Amino acid sequence: MQILLLCLLDAGGLSVSVALAATAAAGAALLACALVAARCAPVVAPQRVRTAIRERDRRTAFLPQRDPDAKGRIRPRAPGLVASATVVA
């Protein structure tokens, strides 16, 4: 950290207080822009949000649907006896 500050002081002639003030001003400007953008975002009706969540849930492949050992899933059948047509003599 100190090396960076020394490089700033030697390279551009900036004082530490000026560098910190510039950083604070940039952060404040970024915060102000974020607040303005948040207020300008369109308001979405709660019903539309619920519908979007419900549709996303229907499209999602949940773990119980992929897990063969999940509750309520039938077990895959084991291979049966070899058919006589496939036996090689």
Side-chain angles (χ1 to χ4, degrees), residues 4-5 19 21 24 33-35 38 43 47-48 50-51 61-62 65 70 76 78:
L4 178 62
L5 290 176
C33 289
L35 288 175
V43 178
Q47 180 182 6
R48 193 167 178 189
R50 285 191 304 266
T51 303
F62 291 103
Q65 295 172 349

Side-chain angles (χ1 to χ4, degrees), residues 51-79:
T51 303
I53 291 173
R54 189 180 315 115
E55 288 175 359
R56 183 185 62 199
D57 287 345
R58 289 179 184 163
R59 291 189 308 262
T60 304
F62 291 103
L63 184 62
Q65 295 172 349
R66 294 183 304 214
D67 185 12
D69 295 327
K71 183 178 179 181
R73 302 267 318 220
I74 59 171
R75 298 285 300 156
R77 298 193 315 184

Side-chain angles (χ1 to χ4, degrees), residues 4 16 31 37 41 45 49 70 79:
L4 178 62
V16 175
L31 179 63
V49 173

